[in-house]
Amino acid sequence: MRTTVKPTRPGGAIVKRLGVAVTILALTISGLGAPPRAWAASRDIDNGSLESVRDAYLTWLWPALKSPRDWSGDPTKCVAGSPQAQPEAAVGTYSSAGQAASLEAVNYFREMAGLAPVTESPAASALARQAALIMQANDLLTHYPDASMKCFSADGYLGASTSNLALGLSGAKAVAGLVDDHGPNNREVGHRRWLLYPPLSSVGLGSTYAAASTVVQGAASARDNVRPSGGTAWPSAGYLPWEIAPTSNRWSYTLPAGDFTSATVSMTRNGVPWDAWVVTRGGVFGDPALVWETGGLPEPAIGAVDVYGVTLSGVADAPVSYQVRVFRAGVTSVGAVTIEGEVVAGSAVTARASGVTPSDAFLDYRWYADGEEVGDSATYDIGTADAGRTLVVKVSANTLFDNWATGPATPSAAVRVPPVATGGQESEPESNPASPAPSKKLTKTPVPKVTGTAKVGKTLTARPGTWKPAGVKLAYQWYRSGSAVAGATASRYVVQPADKGKKVSVKVTGSKPGYFPATRSSKATKKVAAGTLTAATPKVTGKARIGISLTANPGVWKPTGVALAYLWYRSGRKIPGATAATYVPTASDAGKKLTVRVTGVAAGYASTSRTSKKTAKVATG
């Protein structure tokens, strides 16, 4: 089975959900059962506590999803002849951080579902790595690769036949896609059910740059965990981050030996009836399951909780009822802000933020003097005009995930500048008495020039000219429409999405012991133009036949994080609703040729579209 997990973009929102573009293939093998073992030690999530669930999302899943997908393999180094395993030079290694993040993601979702954690089985991971290599080399998914395929191996075949497979993403993001289980061919949410199968106790994890295999069956994995009582629901009961609610809109409830033949489902949202309809009963993926679909979950307001009530009737001896409390977890916070440095005219003060959640959140600074905004970087140079005024710094935290920001939360701190300026550029530095007091001016202080193209993604270079006398030390600070860009203190500057439509300039400060420092400013560039995406021409794979799925492989787009949208065409005309990376031809396509157009969108860049070659005429049988 094939599907595409698509991103959900809330209109005008500043948070992005966990939807990811990835083709996944379900595993349909059964045959379970093993003696139980004790629950392994793991992180604990209290689903009844909003704070516990929020913190787990920010400190557990979020870092895992951001782990880089670095892979050292090379399919061109595969050997022919159906070896037991392809050599290490071909299969390569996924980064240790990325491999650990994959397991972290699996256990995050299991902990949220109230299940025991799993460990990584080295033997199973060896099979998974070989399987992922086959998928990467052939740019396709199959549980049953054959010896005609590139990078085929016996171990790869065994890994593919006992695993969930993903193509398009890898590592922790592939895990998130498997739990989401988007797409028309995954109504049984088989990937989710294997990963959230209660007895599962060890898995194999293998990833390349753009493929992933998760071994959940066979002798190399294990099923020794003790079952909790009752069934397993996803989304799980209690508090749930809106960011991980399934973009597939599929909810599920599994129960060992459960009979869902006559089961029905009803839902409410904040006490009001909410549409829900059953799509699957039973199935062979792990435990039997009831799967239903509902409308997309609206984005909760910051600080709000939407309560979804679920009632399943006709299950076991009594109705099953529970609530899912959905809230926005991806909202950042800053615990406190302090101002460091001597508060006098002529000196610099720095804002320090503490208690930032998550720890790698981006911080935005705004300085105000008696209410007038005067600076936007962590450090503020107090001028003589500030004497007698009250300085306030406000610090906002936000995070970025796939070009969508979360937050912000803004604390502040304030100080008052004494009415008489006591510092100055020309005073002798007290902290370094060995330095000579400045007494001379630099003899040559040229105006710097900015070279390069003022376009997002391009690099600008500051040409300072020749400063004299010899030995002048130069420092750089880049500016965006007159405001200093935090951290931009090198002679080169890569134009950022935030620069689009703004003008960029640079200030160069020359200093030398015994001389007064001097600062010169360049002319501003033209307004920064939108960047140009590096786009690939998509390819359509699969047989052009009614009822057989076709897949659009977009190729590599840059920069990282480009969001891709798909649109299929029949003989040059748009096919209504065909906006996924996969498309199953219908009777209307018979005798027609199909194409797919892929459009890339990224903040600060002009959207770009590429269209595939035409398929063969769609066959009818």
Side-chain angles (χ1 to χ4, degrees):
M1 300 180 187
R2 294 176 184 267
T3 186
T4 299
V5 178
K6 296 164 57 181
T8 295
R9 295 189 181 180
I14 54 174
V15 179
K16 184 175 179 182
R17 293 177 64 188
L18 275 184
V20 289
V22 55
T23 304
I24 53 184
L25 192 62
L27 176 68
T28 57
I29 298 173
S30 59
L32 307 172
R37 70 166 188 171
W39 186 305
S42 70
R43 306 190 198 187
D44 292 325
I45 300 176
D46 179 1
N47 295 64
S49 166
L50 184 149
E51 291 76 14
S52 176
V53 172
R54 178 199 62 207
D55 292 348
Y57 171 77
L58 292 174
T59 63
W60 186 345
L61 183 62
W62 182 283
L65 291 171
K66 293 192 297 180
S67 182
R69 51 178 179 175
D70 295 329
W71 178 57
S72 65
D74 184 354
T76 65
K77 296 181 180 179
C78 288
V79 298
S82 302
Q84 183 66 39
Q86 290 293 341
E88 282 296 307
V91 74
T93 57
Y94 203 58
S95 68
S96 58
Q99 190 77 355
S102 301
L103 185 64
E104 287 284 273
V106 173
N107 281 330
Y108 168 83
F109 287 107
R110 287 182 65 85
E111 174 67 19
M112 281 293 296
L115 302 175
V118 298
T119 58
E120 181 182 1
S121 163
S125 289
L127 300 178
R129 292 170 60 213
Q130 295 284 337
L133 174 63
I134 295 175
M135 308 307 136
Q136 172 83 33
N138 294 277
D139 194 26
L140 59 76
L141 295 180
T142 175
H143 284 305
Y144 306 107
D146 59 60
S148 68
M149 294 182 178
K150 300 175 185 176
C151 298
F152 176 85
S153 67
D155 283 355
Y157 178 92
L158 182 57
S161 64
T162 56
S163 66
N164 286 335
L165 299 171
L167 187 65
L169 288 178
S170 57
K173 288 186 178 180
V175 171
L178 293 168
V179 173
D180 192 290
D181 250 350
H182 198 286
N185 295 324
N186 283 314
R187 295 181 183 275
E188 294 188 343
V189 294
H191 313 93
R192 178 193 303 172
R193 288 161 64 180
W194 282 127
L195 291 175
L196 301 185
Y197 181 64
L200 188 66
S201 57
S202 71
V203 298
L205 299 165
S207 284
T208 65
Y209 179 76
S213 167
T214 307
V215 172
V216 292
Q217 276 293 318
S221 64
R223 300 171 295 281
D224 302 335
N225 270 323
V226 176
R227 284 181 176 275
S229 60
T232 301
W234 190 261
S236 50
Y239 286 98
L240 183 93
W242 173 79
E243 293 85 351
I244 66 168
T247 65
S248 65
N249 299 327
R250 292 184 184 127
W251 296 43
S252 58
Y253 184 84
T254 63
L255 189 67
D259 182 359
F260 297 103
T261 305
S262 303
T264 60
V265 60
S266 62
M267 290 183 65
T268 60
R269 176 177 179 267
N270 299 328
V272 177
W274 188 254
D275 285 342
W277 54 96
V278 174
V279 294
T280 298
R281 292 183 171 88
V284 297
F285 302 95
D287 287 334
L290 183 71
V291 182
W292 65 97
E293 293 184 2
T294 183
L297 272 58
E299 177 189 358
I302 295 178
V305 176
D306 289 334
V307 180
Y308 292 84
V310 178
T311 299
L312 308 180
S313 301
V315 180
D317 297 328
V320 175
S321 296
Y322 57 95
Q323 290 184 334
V324 180
R325 300 177 175 272
V326 179
F327 71 102
R328 280 188 34 196
V331 178
T332 56
S333 63
V334 179
V337 176
T338 57
I339 296 176
E340 299 177 359
E342 186 179 10
V343 187
V344 292
S347 294
V349 287
T350 301
R352 302 290 184 193
S354 61
V356 178
T357 303
S359 60
D360 60 351
F362 172 78
L363 298 179
D364 179 75
Y365 301 86
R366 290 290 184 272
W367 289 89
Y368 300 85
D370 284 350
E372 176 189 359
E373 185 172 347
V374 292
D376 63 356
S377 62
T379 299
Y380 177 69
D381 294 320
I382 303 175
T384 55
D386 296 319
R389 307 172 81 185
T390 298
L391 291 180
V392 176
V393 62
K394 295 182 179 181
V395 182
S396 300
N398 61 70
T399 51
L400 292 177
F401 178 61
D402 291 347
N403 295 326
W404 292 85
T406 67
T410 307
S412 63
V415 292
R416 186 174 183 275
V417 182
V420 178
T422 58
Q425 240 182 6
E426 300 183 10
S427 61
E428 182 177 354
E430 296 180 2
S431 59
N432 188 5
S435 299
S439 58
K440 296 177 288 184
K441 292 183 178 181
L442 298 174
T443 56
K444 188 175 182 180
T445 58
V447 175
K449 296 180 180 180
V450 175
T451 61
T453 303
K455 186 175 183 179
V456 174
K458 296 292 186 179
T459 299
L460 299 177
T461 301
R463 304 294 184 188
T466 303
W467 291 59
K468 293 183 179 180
V472 174
K473 184 178 180 180
L474 301 180
Y476 301 85
Q477 176 62 62
W478 292 86
Y479 288 79
R480 175 188 300 132
S481 293
S483 297
V485 180
T489 56
S491 61
R492 293 187 176 184
Y493 175 66
V494 178
V495 184
Q496 303 298 307
D499 299 321
K500 180 183 173 184
K502 308 286 181 62
K503 294 183 178 182
V504 176
S505 60
V506 67
K507 288 184 179 181
V508 179
T509 298
S511 59
K512 181 180 174 71
Y515 291 80
F516 293 111
T519 300
R520 295 292 181 265
S521 299
S522 72
K523 291 182 178 180
T525 65
K526 296 179 180 179
K527 288 185 178 180
V528 171
T532 301
L533 296 175
T534 299
T537 299
K539 296 180 180 179
V540 177
T541 60
K543 293 183 178 180
R545 187 180 300 273
I546 292 174
I548 303 298
S549 180
L550 298 175
T551 300
N553 293 311
V556 178
W557 291 60
K558 294 181 180 180
T560 301
V562 176
L564 300 178
Y566 300 84
L567 186 58
W568 292 82
Y569 289 78
R570 175 191 302 124
S571 296
R573 297 184 177 224
K574 296 178 184 178
I575 302 175
T579 57
T582 57
Y583 176 68
V584 179
T586 67
S588 300
D589 301 310
K592 308 288 178 53
K593 294 182 178 182
L594 303 176
T595 57
V596 65
R597 186 179 71 183
V598 179
T599 300
V601 179
Y605 288 78
S607 62
T608 302
S609 297
R610 294 288 185 270
T611 301
S612 70
K613 293 182 180 179
K614 296 177 181 179
T615 66
K617 290 183 178 180
V618 174
T620 57

